[in-house]
């Protein structure tokens, strides 16, 4: 039974910060590439950040220098630290895992509004 469970979403003011976490179970976590996607109302789902099994990271241009993705293989978790948040960051954020198979979390809502 594979599970990816996101936490940390919520309401934050522009310029604020949030920390999203994803706890994985049922997979050999260290061999999976991990990522965060998001989907805003009326928009397609887009890649936000990825981290490979080896620890290499890549970001969407829209979040580069504001967001940081990291992983803790001992805890089977991946984290997205989001700073300097903007209203356009408002979306449902999804945790993603991929090796030979791929898995998705249920998503967590992030709302950036004054």
């Amino acid at each position: 039974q594979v599970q990816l469970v996101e936490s940390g979403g919520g309401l934050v003011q522009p310029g604020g910060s949030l920390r999203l976490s994803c706890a994985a179970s049922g997979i050999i976590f260290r061999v999976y590439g991990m990522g965060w996607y998001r989907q805003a109302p009326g928009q397609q789902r887009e890649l936000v950040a990825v981290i490979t099994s080896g620890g290499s990271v890549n970001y969407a241009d829209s979040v580069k220098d504001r967001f940081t993705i990291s992983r803790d293989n001992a805890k089977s978790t991946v984290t997205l630290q989001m700073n300097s948040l903007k209203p356009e960051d408002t979306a449902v954020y999804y945790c993603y895992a991929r090796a030979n198979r791929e898995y998705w979390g249920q998503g967590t809502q992030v709302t950036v509004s004054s």
Side-chain angles (χ1 to χ4, degrees):
Q1 188 86 334
V2 175
Q3 288 191 96
L4 303 177
V5 181
E6 300 100 331
S7 62
L11 175 65
V12 65
Q13 293 185 354
S17 298
L18 282 175
R19 188 179 185 90
L20 305 184
S21 294
C22 173
S25 60
I27 62 172
I28 304 175
F29 184 83
R30 68 180 186 276
V31 308
Y32 276 75
M34 303 296 298
W36 290 92
Y37 286 71
R38 68 186 182 188
Q39 188 167 23
Q43 301 289 119
Q44 294 188 348
R45 190 172 297 187
E46 65 173 346
L47 181 66
V48 177
V50 295
I51 182 165
T52 70
S53 60
S56 299
V57 300
N58 280 287
Y59 301 93
D61 287 342
S62 59
V63 308
K64 197 179 297 288
D65 301 321
R66 299 189 297 120
F67 292 10
T68 303
I69 188 170
S70 60
R71 65 189 295 156
D72 186 337
N73 288 343
K75 297 180 179 179
S76 296
T77 59
V78 61
T79 299
L80 186 68
Q81 178 67 48
M82 305 186 294
N83 298 326
S84 301
L85 283 161
K86 305 174 180 180
E88 50 263 47
D89 295 317
T90 295
V92 177
Y93 284 71
Y94 297 89
C95 182
Y96 170 80
R98 183 188 67 82
N100 58 327
R101 298 181 178 181
E102 64 179 50
Y103 303 98
W104 292 89
Q106 292 297 121
T108 186
Q109 177 70 48
V110 171
T111 302
V112 185
S113 177
S114 59

